[in-house]
């Protein structure tokens, strides 16, 4: 990103702050104040981005994103809170500040950690100009060089790594060969593994990586069946990804001094459990997204040259699992997260 861009971002951010639009979560954590020194660092993509993607590039800064929380667009790719907000809450922390805002927020916000995630990115370069995983980790490393964070901060902290499929979307868009998929999956998992090792070498003792969610159930994939059924071809590929990731992480732990540095947050299981039994979470709309373009050339948030809306929004995002073509609603995340909590999420993060 060049300095002109950074200046532009800074300007946008200043304006935002003035108009009080930042969706900072202030209420989380009231009940868990007994772990004040622990910090959360987030790396990855739109499933955890809370505002790094610039306004000029992201739908997440447009209406109707953020209508549930914070009731206006604030850079989250949902109607409300996203996965990283829920993880922070479990840890009793304020959702960590987006890297982009680090120089303009009150300094004490930095003690909750930082969020480096950037919508659209992957472990490799994708179509977005956002920093890939390597570059995000390098930004973090730079802050250590600058003593913003110290190695002793890190020994108690948690790194969460979100790899939600942008590499695969980019692969489909640019190559698309189904026979070529398995070897590409192996290379994505290999690069993810290198990123995990990199985080460990920087000093993290707890590193959590998300399993890939069932991509074949995302509205992007189910649109061809009018949102009736998941695409099993894609879900089989996801299973391959997750199995390779499991093998890789198991091996990393065997090779580490402390045998449980690395853990996998099983988002696949979380999504599947909720989608198999949505009514137990008061979800009525299972696969059809809440917000979608009026035709296939438009997305949630699209407007035409006259600023006329080219999307529709459902009435009840709180009973709809998916927000847009790729992302769950806050209610969707809440349901997935509560399933993960049932399966000892707490232990996994501690
Ligand atoms: C990530 O981005 C950096 C900086 O643009 C680039 O040099 C590097 O090759 C990329 N890494 C991968 C694994 O794609
Ligand atoms: C695209 O697919 C072909 C056929 O499977 C494969 O040989 C090639 O390596 C792939 N290219 C990339 C960039 O993944
Ligand atoms: C899944 O999607 C692919 C690509 O659009 C399509 O070729 C395939 O038929 C679909 N498979 C199923 C089981 O729906
Ligand atoms: C890998 O999968 C097995 C079987 O499901 C599971 O018991 C184990 O905890 C997984 N390993 C990791 C690192 O998640």
């Amino acid at each position: 990103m060049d300095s002109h861009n950074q200046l532009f971002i800074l300007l946008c951010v200043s304006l935002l702050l003035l108009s009080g639009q930042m969706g900072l979560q202030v209420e989380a954590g009231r009940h868990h104040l007994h772990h004040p020194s622990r910090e959360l660092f987030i790396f990855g993509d739109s499933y955890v981005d809370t505002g790094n993607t610039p306004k000029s590039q992201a739908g997440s800064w447009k209406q109707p994103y953020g209508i549930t929380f914070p009731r206006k667009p604030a850079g989250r790719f949902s109607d409300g809170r996203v996965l990283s907000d829920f993880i922070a809450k479990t840890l009793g922390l304020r959702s960590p500040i987006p890297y982009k805002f680090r120089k303009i927020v009150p300094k004490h916000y930095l003690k909750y950690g930082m969020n480096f995630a950037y919508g659209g990115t992957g472990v490799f370069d994708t179509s977005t100009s956002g920093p890939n995983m390597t570059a995000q980790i390098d930004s973090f490393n730079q802050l250590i060089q600058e003593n913003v964070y110290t190695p002793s901060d890190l020994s108690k902290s948690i790194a969460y790594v979100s790899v939600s499929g942008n590499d695969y979307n980019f692969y489909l868009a640019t190559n698309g060969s189904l026979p070529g998929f398995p070897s590409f999956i192996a290379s994505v998992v290999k690069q993810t593994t290198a990123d995990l090792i990199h985080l460990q070498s920087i000093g993290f003792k707890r590193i959590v990586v998300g399993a890939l969610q069932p991509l074949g159930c995302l509205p992007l994939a189910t649109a061809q069946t009018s949102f009736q059924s998941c695409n099993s071809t894609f879900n089989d590929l996801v299973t391959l990804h997750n199995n390779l990731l499991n093998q890789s992480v198991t091996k990393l732990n065997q090779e580490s001094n402390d045998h449980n540095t690395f853990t996998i947050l099983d988002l696949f299981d979380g999504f599947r459990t909720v989608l198999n039994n949505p009514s137990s979470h008061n979800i009525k709309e299972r696969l059809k997204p809440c917000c979608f373009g009026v035709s296939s050339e438009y997305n949630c948030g699209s407007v035409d040259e006259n600023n006329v809306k080219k999307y529709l929004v459902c009435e009840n995002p709180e009973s709809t699992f998916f927000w847009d073509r790729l992302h769950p609603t806050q209610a969707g995340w809440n349901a997935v997260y509560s399933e993960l909590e049932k399966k000892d999420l707490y232990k996994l993060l501690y």
Side-chain angles (χ1 to χ4, degrees):
M1 185 177 297
D2 60 30
S3 56
H4 175 260
N5 255 341
Q6 279 176 351
L7 189 65
F8 175 69
I9 288 173
L10 209 62
L11 278 172
C12 296
V13 167
S14 315
L15 288 172
L16 268 173
L17 278 177
L18 284 174
S19 59
Q21 282 201 347
M22 271 177 58
L24 292 176
Q25 226 187 341
V26 290
E27 78 277 33
R30 223 174 270 149
H31 307 294
H32 304 269
L33 289 174
H34 48 286
H35 292 291
S37 54
R38 164 161 277 224
E39 293 164 3
L40 174 63
F41 294 91
I42 307 265
F43 303 89
D45 49 38
S46 59
Y47 272 22
V48 289
D49 182 3
T50 53
N52 281 316
T53 309
K55 274 196 133 169
S56 54
Q57 286 170 26
S60 60
W61 286 100
K62 292 184 191 143
Q63 298 286 351
Y65 284 78
I67 51 167
T68 303
F69 172 84
R71 300 187 183 277
K72 54 195 139 197
R76 286 176 174 80
F77 291 80
S78 183
D79 63 315
R81 293 176 179 82
V82 296
L83 178 61
S84 42
D85 298 313
F86 286 97
I87 294 174
K89 195 170 179 207
T90 300
L91 296 173
L93 299 173
R94 203 189 273 265
S95 198
I97 194 76
Y99 173 70
K100 188 172 81 176
F101 298 144
R102 73 194 179 282
K103 293 195 171 144
I104 53 168
V105 294
K107 245 201 160 124
H108 68 269
Y109 281 18
L110 304 188
K111 72 169 186 266
Y112 301 103
M114 201 172 278
N115 188 330
F116 296 84
Y118 199 107
T121 62
V123 295
F124 297 121
D125 290 334
T126 56
S127 54
T128 146
S129 61
N132 63 32
M133 186 71 76
T134 316
Q136 291 177 26
I137 297 172
D138 287 345
S139 297
F140 174 62
N141 223 347
Q142 184 59 39
L143 295 184
I144 301 215
Q145 308 308 316
E146 294 168 10
N147 281 320
V148 176
Y149 296 106
T150 63
S152 78
D153 287 333
L154 295 196
S155 63
K156 289 175 236 135
S157 299
I158 289 182
Y160 184 79
V161 174
S162 173
V163 181
S164 313
N166 289 317
D167 292 296
Y168 299 131
N169 287 337
F170 187 64
Y171 174 87
L172 281 173
T174 52
N175 184 328
S177 141
L178 275 180
F181 236 118
S183 70
F184 184 64
I185 289 171
S187 67
V188 168
V189 172
K190 194 169 168 213
Q191 181 59 41
T192 306
T193 306
D195 295 328
L196 297 176
I197 293 170
H198 191 181
L199 288 168
Q200 183 183 33
S201 73
I202 293 173
F204 283 107
K205 304 270 186 280
R206 296 296 279 143
I207 301 166
V208 182
V209 56
L212 199 55
Q213 75 284 6
L215 294 178
C217 299
L218 301 186
L220 186 66
T222 62
Q224 57 180 208
T225 64
S226 306
F227 312 113
Q228 291 308 301
S229 55
C230 298
N231 181 309
S232 56
T233 312
F234 289 142
N235 283 352
D236 289 347
L237 293 168
V238 169
T239 299
L240 174 60
H241 172 107
N242 286 338
N243 286 343
L244 291 176
L245 185 66
N246 179 303
Q247 285 166 23
S248 199
V249 167
T250 303
K251 186 153 168 278
L252 286 183
N253 276 331
Q254 283 163 358
E255 291 164 355
S256 305
N257 296 333
D258 156 16
H259 291 301
N260 58 10
T261 301
F262 301 95
T263 38
I264 296 175
L265 186 64
D266 198 348
L267 293 177
F268 188 90
D269 192 55
F271 273 61
R272 191 187 49 189
T273 308
V274 174
L275 292 175
N276 283 346
N277 192 0
S279 59
S280 71
H281 294 278
N282 296 319
I283 302 269
K284 296 194 180 70
E285 199 64 75
R286 195 172 84 95
L287 296 178
K288 186 180 170 195
C290 177
C291 182
F292 52 98
V294 293
S295 62
S296 61
E297 77 250 46
Y298 297 109
N299 288 327
C300 177
S302 293
V303 291
D304 69 8
E305 60 277 13
N306 301 317
N307 226 23
V308 173
K309 284 182 202 173
K310 290 292 174 189
Y311 61 88
L312 301 168
V313 192
C314 68
E315 264 179 39
N316 299 311
E318 70 281 2
S319 56
T320 307
F321 185 80
F322 284 110
W323 168 245
D324 63 11
R325 298 190 301 171
L326 298 169
H327 307 100
T329 56
Q330 173 176 296
W333 276 125
N334 190 42
V336 167
Y337 206 75
S338 67
E339 286 299 333
L340 295 171
E341 275 178 328
K342 279 185 207 161
K343 291 174 183 152
D344 288 342
L345 175 80
Y346 209 74
K347 273 189 220 152
L348 187 143
L349 292 176
Y350 277 85

